[in-house]
């Protein structure tokens, strides 16, 4: 059958490049392995040349695959499954790249691309380590490219190709049997996940996957060192790569936190979601490994710990990928990647087991030759406390990953383990204690010297920052207003201790830079990293424990059925309903729903919310916030998926998201009619939710009243609408006559769904029309938070990453020297 409009050549070209990349990875792995095995022989140069050529072909083909897939997405070739599932014609241009890595195939391709780039750097810089390190890198490329080939080996599908046609993927679909299916049925794609339509998702995944890819290089150097039976010279390049990984993976994680803060509606930047945890654990293990590697290079201790921590970092990247991509987490994550079932399940298990076997075999065959210093470290030494901190990071990572893996354990063991409803507290109650200890260690450890330190030296340097910390911490505790008592006095005390420890780390590291290092920033990479970490701790504690709920509902209007992004029921008492154009008190603000946009081509609505401080507030504020929401088709019509809006200040953020909206375009036609009653001053008319009291009827004409507007006569009513719950509302419908032609002014009481007008007049009597209509009220419901000093967290992140890169730069300079 000839199908009309299909673009087959570009998909065939892309698939060819995928297969060529897979074959080139195999050839590169074999050639580099042979180069390592024949080291120092005449054959080595030939095998190295072949390995470089094959890896170069692999790099070229991955870039080519990247370009081909992007062209398919850009040109909206919806005959391809990937383009149909992840893109849409109306999608904004900046989000086309987000389409690329929304799916499994595109994200694996991004990972493969970064490992290709890093492999080129290794080829250029590794020198004697090239053959062994690149054997491991190329082996990883074999697995990653195999995820993209999408071919069947007998009845087993290997990978999920990005160039699969819709009619081949769904051969039994009736609509795809039509030769003109592309023009009749696939005129547009399903589009990008609405949560990913945010600028952070254009830059966050590339940085995060660079972090994942770079965790392979220290792993490869350790395997190479064990393979070569060299326990020393691999440490220099491995340390530089580990520092790079610590900085870039940490940056990627916090970019994800920034995305969550701006796109998800759980009112924060971290919720211990499984996907968040899955990226945090490898970073923690790598940080532990960095410190033990520093210990080994300085004292000879902790080599075995390094052989555990750094490889675990990469292995848990693979395990985390398995958790988040195979569907084993079920619905426990709000932003995990879509699983591909058994296709990826066994594929990823094979990759994990293969690299675990590589690490275990390399270690096992060399275990008896690993140098170990039998003498215990002194408690007065830097290496002792660095090891304590590293071990604490390792144990904390184990705690997090075990809890995160419970759905997987339940699946394979048939159990029903769970960590309870309050997931955040289960993690926070432990991690806040970890933060206290780590922050104190971060403050004091650099003041110790390797091997031994006199108490006189230690306290001569630590006395001033300790005294300053005690004074400042006392002031913060007494004047800072930390009253977070949700989990009792014990947890509140832990918050205060963590704040003191964070302040101590900040002051002690700042003092160390200027007093001990004499302001030499080139030597201060570690202190700057620790200083940034301290700021992050302080920022997290302040913004979380002092997070203020602004939207306390005192309006008397409670909208039921509200849910957050996780599907959890929202408390109506924490959500304020705003009627269009009606200023509503909310905390120290008076908030007005001023309008919304027409529904755009992307089914997104933008809302304009005005915030003003009251007259009694000393500092006047007047600003607008523009949250938005997507209209998503659900089982019961259109549902709302909100993106928060925020007002950013130096010292705080005001954070708002919409929890419900009465869509005027989706309302049914209003069939209610006016009920007319002749009334005069003092009369009462009842309606279903209360009654209307006619306070006054004022009549005027232009002969008797020179101030009357340009009408001949007017009848102005003053009405009191009194609801069943005793609330009172004013209404002033009116009736005018100009040149014997009547006109009316209609008034509306939105909260009562009430429309009032005057249909006719008779002396001092008026014919009052009352209509009760569900189509009257135009409203939104929103939730609003205040995040104090959230910028301290973001500033700390930037400073910490700068510290990692300064440390890396220093180690690279030492390496060249």
């Amino acid at each position: 059958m000839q199908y009309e409009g299909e673009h087959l050549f570009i998909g065939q070209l892309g698939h060819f490049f995928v297969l060529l990349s897979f074959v080139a990875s195999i050839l590169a792995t074999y050639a580099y392995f042979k180069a390592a095995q024949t080291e120092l022989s005449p054959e080595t140069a030939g095998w190295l040349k072949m390995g470089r050529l094959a890896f170069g072909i692999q790099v070229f083909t991955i870039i080519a695959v990247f370009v081909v897939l992007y062209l398919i997405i850009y040109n909206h070739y919806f005959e391809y499954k990937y383009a149909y599932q992840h893109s849409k014609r109306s999608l904004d241009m900046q989000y086309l790249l987000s389409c690329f890595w929304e799916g499994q195939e595109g994200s694996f391709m991004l990972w493969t691309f970064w490992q290709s780039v890093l492999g080129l750097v290794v080829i250029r810089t590794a020198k004697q380590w090239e053959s062994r390190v690149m054997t491991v890198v190329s082996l990883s490329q074999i697995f990653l490219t195999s995820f993209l080939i999408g071919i069947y080996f007998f009845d087993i599908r290997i990978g999920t190709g990005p160039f699969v046609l819709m009619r081949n993927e769904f051969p039994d679909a009736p609509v795809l049997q039509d030769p003109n299916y592309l023009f009749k049925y696939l005129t547009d794609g399903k589009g990008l996940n609405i949560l990913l339509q945010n600028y952070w998702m254009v830059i966050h995944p590339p940085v995060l996957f660079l972090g994942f890819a770079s965790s392979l290089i220290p792993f490869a150097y350790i395997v190479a060192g064990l393979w070569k039976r060299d326990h020393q010279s691999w440490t220099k390049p491995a340390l530089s790569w580990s520092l790079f990984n610590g900085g870039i993976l940490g940056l990627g994680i916090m970019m994800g936190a920034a995305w969550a803060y701006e796109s998800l509606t759980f009112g924060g930047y971290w919720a211990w979601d499984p996907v968040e945890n899955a990226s945090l654990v490898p970073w923690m293990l790598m940080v532990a490994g960095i410190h033990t590697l520093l210990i080994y290079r300085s004292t000879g201790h902790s080599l075995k710990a390094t052989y555990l921590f750094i490889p675990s970092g990469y292995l848990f990247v693979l395990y985390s990928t398995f958790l988040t991509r195979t569907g084993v987490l079920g619905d426990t994550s709000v932003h995990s990647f879509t699983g591909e079932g058994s296709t990826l399940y066994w594929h990823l298990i094979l990759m994990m087991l293969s690299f675990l076997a590589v690490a275990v075999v390399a270690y096992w065959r060399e275990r008896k030759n690993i140098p170990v210093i039998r003498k215990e470290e002194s408690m007065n030494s830097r290496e002792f406390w660095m090891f304590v901190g590293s071990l604490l990071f390792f144990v904390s990572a184990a705690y997090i990953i075990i809890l995160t893996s419970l759905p997987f354990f339940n699946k394979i063991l048939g159990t029903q383990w769970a960590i309870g409803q309050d997931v955040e507290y289960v993690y926070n109650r432990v991690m806040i204690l970890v933060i206290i200890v780590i922050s104190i260690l971060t403050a004091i450890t650099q003041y110790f010297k390797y091997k031994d330190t006199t108490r006189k030296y230690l306290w001569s340097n630590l006395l001033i920052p300790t005294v300053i910390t005690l004074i400042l911490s006392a002031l913060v505790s007494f004047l800072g207003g930390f009253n977070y008592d949700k989990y009792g006095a014990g947890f509140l005390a832990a918050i205060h201790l963590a704040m003191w420890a964070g302040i101590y780390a900040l002051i002690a590291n700042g003092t160390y830079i200027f007093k001990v290092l004499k302001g030499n920033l080139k030597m201060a990479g570690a202190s700057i990293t620790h200083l940034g970490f301290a700021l992050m701790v302080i920022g997290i504690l302040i913004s979380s424990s002092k997070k203020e709920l602004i939207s306390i509902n005192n309006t008397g209007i409670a909208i039921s059925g509200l849910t957050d992004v996780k599907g959890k029921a929202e408390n109506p008492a924490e959500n304020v309903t705003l009627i269009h154009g009606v200023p509503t008190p909310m905390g120290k603000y008076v908030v007005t729903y001023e309008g919304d946009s027409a529904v755009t081509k992307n089914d997104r609505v933008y809302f304009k919310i005005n915030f003003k401080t009251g007259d009694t507030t000393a500092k006047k504020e007047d600003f607008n916030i523009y949250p938005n929401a997507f209209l998503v088709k659900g089982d019961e019509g259109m549902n709302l998926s909100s993106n928060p809006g925020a007002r950013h200040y130096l010292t705080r953020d005001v954070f708002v998201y919409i929890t419900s909206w009465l869509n005027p375009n989706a309302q049914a036609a209003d069939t209610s009619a006016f009920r007319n009653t002749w009334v005069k001053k003092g009369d009462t008319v009842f309606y279903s939710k209360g009654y209307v009291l006619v306070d006054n009827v004022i009549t005027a004409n232009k002969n008797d009243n020179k101030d009357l507007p340009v009408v001949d006569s007017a009848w102005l009513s003053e009405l009191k609408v009194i609801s069943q719950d005793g609330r009172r509302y004013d209404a002033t419908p009116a009736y005018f006559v100009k040149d014997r032609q009547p006109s009316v002014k209609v008034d509306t009481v939105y909260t009562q769904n009430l429309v009032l007008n005057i249909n006719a007049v008779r002396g001092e009597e008026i014919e009052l029309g009352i209509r009760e209509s569900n189509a009257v009220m135009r409203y939104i419901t929103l939730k609003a938070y205040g995040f104090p000093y959230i910028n301290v967290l973001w500033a700390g992140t930037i400073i910490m990453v700068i510290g990692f890169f300064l440390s890396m730069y220093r180690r690279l300079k030492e390496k060249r020297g």
Side-chain angles (χ1 to χ4, degrees):
M1 184 184 295
Q2 184 69 33
Y3 294 94
E4 298 294 327
E6 290 184 334
H7 305 82
L8 299 180
F9 175 73
I10 192 170
Q12 293 165 352
L13 183 65
H15 190 62
F16 167 76
F17 281 133
V18 170
L19 291 174
L20 183 57
S21 180
F22 178 63
V23 173
S25 298
I26 295 174
L27 182 58
T29 303
Y30 180 74
Y32 274 121
F33 178 79
K34 292 295 290 184
Q37 292 296 89
T38 61
E39 195 172 43
L40 303 179
S41 74
E43 300 176 25
T44 304
W47 286 116
L48 277 176
K49 186 175 181 180
M50 181 183 292
R52 291 167 183 167
L53 177 61
F55 194 81
I57 293 171
Q58 186 268 324
V59 173
F60 169 77
T61 52
I62 280 297
I63 293 173
V65 172
F66 198 108
V67 171
V68 169
L69 184 57
Y70 183 77
L71 288 175
I72 287 174
I73 294 172
Y74 178 81
N75 290 295
H76 307 301
Y77 293 159
F78 296 125
E79 61 267 38
Y80 291 98
K81 177 188 172 185
Y82 201 86
Y84 175 76
Q85 287 190 331
H86 303 293
S87 68
K88 195 175 185 180
R89 293 185 186 277
S90 59
L91 199 64
D92 294 337
M93 183 66 67
Q94 65 264 33
Y95 298 131
L96 289 181
L97 281 175
S98 297
C99 293
F100 187 95
W101 41 70
E102 180 194 23
Q104 301 280 17
E105 301 90 333
S107 53
F108 276 121
M109 200 181 305
L110 180 62
W111 192 349
T112 310
F113 167 78
W114 279 128
Q115 283 192 179
S116 300
V117 172
L118 297 178
L120 293 177
V121 177
V122 169
I123 290 172
R124 184 174 178 83
T125 61
K127 298 179 182 178
Q128 62 173 334
W129 294 104
E130 179 187 347
S131 59
R132 288 177 169 82
V133 172
M134 286 305 298
T135 299
V136 180
V137 173
S138 298
L139 178 63
S140 179
Q141 293 294 80
I142 292 175
F143 279 99
L144 291 181
T145 52
S146 71
F147 289 120
L148 305 175
I149 57 179
I151 61 175
Y152 283 90
F153 184 74
F154 295 102
D155 292 331
I156 301 173
R157 183 175 180 177
I158 302 174
T160 54
F163 305 109
V164 176
L165 292 168
M166 286 287 290
R167 58 181 170 84
N168 290 337
E169 185 72 9
F170 306 103
D172 298 326
V175 298
L176 300 179
Q177 307 307 312
D178 190 326
N180 292 307
Y181 77 91
L182 200 55
F183 300 108
K184 289 183 178 179
Y185 306 111
L186 298 188
T187 57
D188 205 354
K190 295 174 67 176
L192 181 67
N193 185 323
I194 56 177
L195 292 177
L196 304 184
Q197 295 184 38
N198 180 281
Y199 63 93
W200 281 113
M201 291 310 292
V202 179
I203 57 177
H204 158 58
V207 175
L208 186 66
F209 276 97
L210 177 57
F212 289 165
S214 62
S215 65
L216 171 66
I217 310 301
F219 174 92
Y221 268 103
I222 283 182
V223 170
L226 291 166
W227 184 359
K228 194 176 181 180
R229 301 181 186 276
D230 179 344
H231 300 285
Q232 186 61 45
S233 57
W234 64 267
T235 62
K236 282 188 177 181
L239 180 57
S240 298
W241 280 106
S242 299
L243 289 165
F244 174 78
N245 176 253
I248 206 70
L249 184 55
L251 179 61
I253 292 168
M254 292 310 296
M255 281 183 169
W259 164 70
Y261 179 64
E262 294 199 3
S263 290
L264 300 182
T265 57
F266 51 59
Y269 40 81
W270 196 267
W272 296 108
D273 183 273
V275 171
E276 297 169 338
N277 298 349
S279 56
L280 177 64
V281 165
W283 180 82
M284 296 176 72
L285 292 170
M286 186 60 69
V287 169
I290 288 170
H291 287 83
T292 55
L293 185 53
L294 286 168
I295 292 170
Y296 174 65
R297 284 176 51 79
S298 299
T299 68
H301 287 284
S302 299
L303 180 57
K304 286 188 175 181
T306 303
Y307 283 151
L308 173 63
F309 295 163
I310 290 181
S312 295
Y314 178 64
L315 292 172
F316 274 96
V317 165
L318 300 182
Y319 177 67
S320 299
T321 303
F322 169 79
L323 286 181
T324 57
R325 292 172 181 273
T326 57
V328 299
L329 293 177
D331 58 357
T332 60
S333 173
V334 300
H335 57 319
S336 61
F337 289 91
T338 304
E340 294 288 346
S342 60
T343 301
L344 279 178
Y345 188 92
W346 293 110
H347 206 154
L348 280 166
I349 284 179
L350 178 61
M351 185 177 183
M352 284 190 295
L353 292 178
S354 297
F355 279 89
L356 177 61
V358 167
V360 170
V361 169
Y363 180 85
W364 186 259
R365 64 189 291 271
E366 187 61 12
R367 68 190 186 283
K368 294 181 180 179
N369 301 318
I370 296 173
V372 177
I373 297 177
R374 299 298 177 186
K375 183 182 177 182
E376 295 290 335
E377 303 99 320
S378 167
M379 288 186 64
N380 291 325
S381 66
R382 180 183 291 188
E383 61 268 27
F384 177 85
W385 295 108
M386 285 176 67
F387 182 78
V388 170
S390 298
L391 188 61
L392 187 55
F393 261 104
F394 180 78
V395 172
S396 301
Y399 175 79
I400 293 169
I401 203 64
I402 288 171
L403 292 184
T404 303
S405 302
L406 286 183
F408 176 51
F409 297 156
N410 289 336
K411 184 173 183 179
I412 61 176
L413 299 176
T415 53
Q416 295 183 341
W417 294 329
I419 60 177
Q421 291 291 323
D422 196 343
V423 174
E424 293 183 28
Y425 180 60
V426 172
Y427 288 99
N428 288 339
R429 67 187 179 185
V430 173
M431 297 311 298
I432 195 166
L433 302 178
V434 172
I435 286 295
I436 293 169
V437 177
I438 291 292
S439 297
I440 293 172
L441 291 175
T442 299
I444 67 174
T445 300
Q446 284 188 104
Y447 287 92
F448 286 88
K449 295 180 180 180
Y450 283 112
K451 298 185 179 178
D452 196 28
T453 312
T454 64
R455 292 187 178 181
K456 181 179 179 182
Y457 173 84
L458 187 64
W459 282 108
S460 65
N461 287 291
L462 272 176
L463 181 61
I464 292 177
T466 302
V467 171
I468 293 174
T469 298
L470 290 173
I471 296 172
L472 191 57
S473 298
L475 291 174
V476 169
S477 288
F478 286 110
L479 303 178
F482 289 92
N483 299 310
Y484 186 79
D485 56 359
K486 181 177 179 180
Y487 300 113
F491 193 75
L492 178 61
I495 290 174
H496 281 275
L497 288 174
M499 178 62 69
W500 298 349
I503 293 171
Y504 195 22
L506 178 68
I507 294 173
N509 279 281
T511 304
Y512 188 87
I513 292 172
F514 292 102
K515 183 178 180 181
V516 179
L517 298 179
K518 309 300 182 185
N520 185 353
L521 296 182
K522 292 181 180 180
M523 298 292 293
S527 298
I528 291 172
T529 303
H530 297 159
L531 191 147
F533 177 78
L535 282 173
M536 290 178 68
V537 169
I538 294 169
I540 290 169
L541 290 169
I542 296 177
S543 62
S544 298
S545 63
K546 289 180 65 63
K547 181 174 73 173
E548 174 193 6
L549 177 68
I550 299 174
S551 54
I552 298 173
N553 188 357
N554 294 316
T555 65
I557 305 172
I559 304 298
S560 61
L562 305 177
T563 59
D564 63 10
V565 71
K566 295 182 178 181
K568 183 180 177 182
E570 287 274 12
N571 185 352
E574 296 179 352
N575 292 260
V576 172
T577 297
L578 302 179
I579 298 167
H580 182 263
V582 178
T584 303
M586 194 167 75
K588 70 175 183 178
Y589 298 104
V590 175
V591 184
T592 307
Y593 165 34
E594 295 194 343
D596 52 68
S597 66
V599 177
T600 69
K601 60 182 181 180
N602 284 329
D603 294 330
R604 184 188 295 203
V605 185
Y606 291 86
F607 300 89
K608 181 180 180 181
I609 316 296
N610 178 257
F611 282 71
K612 289 182 181 178
T613 50
D615 295 335
T616 59
T617 307
K619 185 178 179 180
K620 301 300 180 183
E621 297 179 50
D622 187 346
F623 58 87
N624 296 321
I625 295 181
Y626 301 90
N628 64 83
F630 286 91
L631 298 177
V632 184
K633 289 183 180 179
D635 295 335
E636 300 179 358
M638 299 299 285
N639 297 323
L640 211 61
S641 180
S642 294
N643 282 326
R647 173 72 173 186
H648 301 289
Y649 292 94
L650 183 63
T651 58
R652 64 188 172 91
D653 280 2
V654 178
F655 175 97
V656 175
Y657 63 91
I658 307 299
T659 51
S660 76
W661 173 51
L662 185 64
N663 181 359
N665 298 319
Q667 293 182 64
D670 183 15
T671 58
S672 60
F674 279 99
R675 178 168 56 87
N676 300 318
T677 306
W678 284 96
V679 295
K680 60 182 183 299
K681 180 179 178 180
D683 286 347
T684 300
V685 181
F686 288 88
Y687 69 102
S688 65
K689 297 179 182 179
Y691 60 93
V692 179
L693 176 64
V694 183
D695 263 358
N696 201 4
V697 176
I698 302 172
T699 61
N701 61 69
K702 64 180 181 181
N703 295 325
D704 300 330
N705 193 334
K706 296 181 180 180
D707 296 328
L708 196 67
V710 286
V711 294
D712 297 332
S713 302
W715 285 258
L716 310 175
S717 66
E718 296 177 357
L719 310 179
K720 290 285 187 186
V721 178
I722 303 172
S723 66
Q724 291 174 340
D725 59 5
R727 293 182 177 271
R728 294 172 174 263
Y729 309 90
D730 292 323
T732 56
Y735 185 90
F736 305 103
V737 175
K738 172 69 173 177
D739 297 329
R740 298 186 179 181
Q741 296 296 320
S743 61
V744 297
K745 173 205 166 191
V746 177
D747 205 349
T748 305
V749 181
Y750 288 110
T751 58
Q752 299 295 299
N753 295 341
L754 206 60
V755 182
L756 302 161
N757 75 352
I758 299 175
N759 295 312
V761 295
R762 189 173 59 196
E764 294 186 356
E765 288 186 308
I766 58 174
E767 187 181 43
L768 180 64
I770 299 178
R771 187 179 75 186
E772 297 182 69
S773 170
N774 289 328
V776 170
M777 189 162 63
R778 182 179 170 193
Y779 70 85
I780 59 171
T781 305
L782 59 77
K783 195 166 190 176
Y785 288 106
F787 283 92
Y789 295 98
I790 185 71
N791 287 328
V792 175
L793 170 61
W794 308 131
T797 300
I798 294 169
I799 292 170
M800 184 186 73
V801 172
I802 290 172
F804 271 112
F805 290 149
L806 277 175
S807 297
M808 181 189 72
Y809 176 76
R810 175 190 166 196
R811 299 298 171 177
L812 287 173
K813 295 285 285 186
E814 289 178 355
K815 181 183 171 185
R816 290 173 190 149

